[in-house]
Amino acid sequence: MQLWQQIFIALTLGLVLGIVLNQTGNADFAAGFKPLGDLFIRGIKMLIVPLIFVSLVAGVASLQDLATMGRLSAKTFALYLATTAVAISIGLALATVFKPGVGAVLGSARAVDAKDAPTITDTILGLVPTNPVEALANGNVLQIIVFAILFGIAIVLAGDVANPLKRFFDSAAEVVYRLTSIIISFAPYGVFALMTWVSGTYGLDLLAPLAKVIAMVYLGCAVHAVVVYGG
């Protein structure tokens, strides 16, 4: 059975079990599933920084043509910033038109004061980390991308002496890819646990508006994949 089929079955079973627990007054029992779901989410978050860093370093270090690397770096930055801007625009447009989440009442929800947008100069300066270790620790994706690309370029410029380091990152990338496969294989269990907790704790009153949110997320992802990436 393919992974997406396992996830769909787990989501359905978690939804049914959670609603049953909620309707029978066993919300506390449903809450007991949350740690299992949180464990899966933490595993996903664990992968983000090493996956970005080692894969970019290994990819850039595998290129031998400096002109190609220069064009690739520029295209990488441009593509990342452009697709991110488009993704944000799609999300804001869908939220404005369809207003998903209206009617959902979360006890922990509170108003948040929006911060002023940084200037273009501050944004550009913020791309370069003053402390790469801090950027890795804080999960600053843009700074990690910049450092990884520069690090990969430096490996190429260093020549044969950097071959052991290049082989290290090639091996590290393969290991991280395998680790990613291991974590993702636990997705059905994480989805089952999270769905049981959500539906068992909040019941149908929250699930109806939440279903609209989920539908908008899938619609936004579909538009982004088909129109933006497809285009």
Side-chain angles (χ1 to χ4, degrees):
M1 186 179 295
Q2 296 184 16
L3 182 62
W4 71 267
Q5 295 173 320
Q6 298 177 33
I7 293 175
F8 181 78
I9 293 174
L11 187 148
T12 303
L13 293 177
L15 176 63
V16 172
L17 177 59
I19 292 175
V20 171
L21 292 175
N22 182 268
Q23 296 298 316
T24 56
N26 292 305
D28 292 339
F29 182 77
F33 287 86
K34 186 176 183 296
L36 179 60
D38 290 340
L39 184 64
F40 172 68
I41 296 298
R42 291 176 71 91
I44 294 295
K45 291 180 178 180
M46 176 184 69
L47 295 171
I48 296 174
V49 170
L51 186 60
I52 292 174
F53 182 68
V54 299
S55 60
L56 270 178
V57 172
V60 174
S62 66
L63 301 175
Q64 300 300 323
D65 185 1
L66 292 179
T68 300
M69 284 194 296
R71 291 193 299 270
L72 180 63
S73 299
K75 290 179 180 179
T76 299
F77 284 120
L79 184 64
Y80 183 87
L81 293 175
T83 54
T84 299
V86 173
I88 293 172
S89 300
I90 292 173
L92 290 174
L94 291 176
T96 301
V97 174
F98 296 100
K99 302 185 185 304
V102 173
V105 179
L106 298 176
S108 60
R110 62 184 184 275
V112 177
D113 294 329
K115 298 180 180 179
D116 294 333
T119 64
I120 295 179
T121 301
D122 290 337
T123 301
I124 295 175
L125 291 175
L127 295 176
V128 181
T130 56
N131 186 341
V133 176
E134 182 181 6
L136 292 167
N138 293 334
N140 191 317
V141 175
L142 279 175
Q143 291 186 352
I144 293 172
I145 290 175
V146 171
F147 179 67
I149 291 176
L150 294 176
F151 198 85
I153 292 174
I155 290 177
V156 175
L157 293 176
D160 294 339
V161 70
N163 284 339
L165 189 59
K166 180 180 179 297
R167 289 194 295 270
F168 167 79
F169 276 100
D170 288 339
S171 299
E174 292 300 323
V175 171
V176 172
Y177 298 153
R178 184 57 59 90
L179 178 60
T180 301
S181 299
I182 294 173
I183 298 298
I184 294 300
S185 68
F186 287 95
Y189 305 100
V191 169
F192 172 78
L194 290 172
M195 202 65 211
T196 301
W197 164 63
V198 171
S199 57
T201 301
Y202 297 102
L204 291 174
D205 293 337
L206 177 67
L207 289 180
L210 184 61
K212 190 175 181 180
V213 175
I214 295 173
M216 289 302 101
V217 170
Y218 276 102
L219 177 59
C221 290
V223 171
H224 194 62
V226 175
V227 178
V228 180
Y229 289 138

